[in-house]
C-alpha cells in the first residue's frame, strides 16, 4: 500500500505563485521517478513535470521556465514550484510515483489538489 499526499493547492491570482508538495509513504520498495500531472475540465490528464531519482527532469512545454520540480532530501518527497501562474493552469494537480510498491511495479497516484488561477 502507498499513500501519496499532496498539499499546497489553492486559489491564486494570475502572475502569482504556489508551491505544491507531495509525500509518499507506505510499502515502497523503490522509486524510479516522481512527478506531477494535471487535469483541467474538459481536458485529458497531462504531464506537467517529472523527476527521476538521479535528478533528471522533464517538463511540458507549457510550463517550461515557470515551473520547477524538485525532489526532497527524503527521496520520497517531491515539490512543484509554480511561478507566473496563468488561468489556463487551473486544474487538479496529481502527484505521481513510478516504482515498486508491495511487489508491484507501476504508476501510483495521489488524490489530487485543486489549483485555481483567477482574479
Amino acid at each position: 500500500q502507498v499513500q501519496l499526499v499532496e498539499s499546497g493547492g489553492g486559489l491564486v491570482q494570475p502572475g502569482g505563485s504556489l508551491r505544491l508538495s507531495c509525500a509518499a509513504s507506505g510499502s515502497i520498495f523503490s522509486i524510479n521517478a516522481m512527478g506531477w500531472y494535471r487535469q483541467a475540465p474538459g481536458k485529458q490528464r497531462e504531464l506537467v513535470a517529472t523527476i527521476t531519482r538521479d535528478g533528471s527532469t522533464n517538463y511540458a512545454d507549457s510550463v517550461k521556465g515557470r515551473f520547477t520540480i524538485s525532489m526532497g532530501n527524503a527521496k520520497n518527497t517531491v515539490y512543484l514550484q509554480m511561478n507566473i501562474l496563468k488561468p489556463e493552469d487551473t486544474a487538479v494537480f496529481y502527484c505521481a510515483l513510478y516504482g515498486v510498491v508491495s511487489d508491484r511495479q507501476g504508476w501510483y497516484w495521489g488524490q489530487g489538489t485543486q489549483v485555481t488561477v483567477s482574479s
Side-chain angles (χ1 to χ4, degrees), residues 10-21:
L11 175 65
V12 66
Q13 295 186 72
S17 299
L18 285 173
R19 191 187 193 212
L20 304 183
S21 300

Side-chain angles (χ1 to χ4, degrees), residues 7-48:
S7 63
L11 175 65
V12 66
Q13 295 186 72
S17 299
L18 285 173
R19 191 187 193 212
L20 304 183
S21 300
C22 174
S25 62
S27 302
I28 304 171
F29 180 78
S30 63
I31 298 173
N32 300 115
M34 296 186 74
W36 293 92
Y37 290 71
R38 67 185 180 188
Q39 187 167 23
K43 295 187 176 181
Q44 298 182 128
R45 186 175 297 187
E46 65 176 354
L47 179 147
V48 177

Side-chain angles (χ1 to χ4, degrees), residues 81-118:
Q81 179 66 46
M82 305 186 293
N83 299 324
I84 320 175
L85 283 161
K86 305 175 180 179
E88 51 262 43
D89 292 320
T90 296
V92 177
F93 281 69
Y94 297 90
C95 177
L97 178 155
Y98 185 77
V100 179
V101 177
S102 298
D103 297 327
R104 187 176 77 86
Q105 180 174 297
W107 285 98
Y108 299 86
W109 303 87
Q111 292 184 342
T113 185
Q114 178 70 48
V115 172
T116 302
V117 185
S118 176

Side-chain angles (χ1 to χ4, degrees), residues 53-67:
R53 195 171 59 184
D54 66 358
S56 179
T57 59
N58 184 42
Y59 296 92
D61 288 341
S62 61
V63 307
K64 287 180 179 178
R66 299 188 298 120
F67 292 10

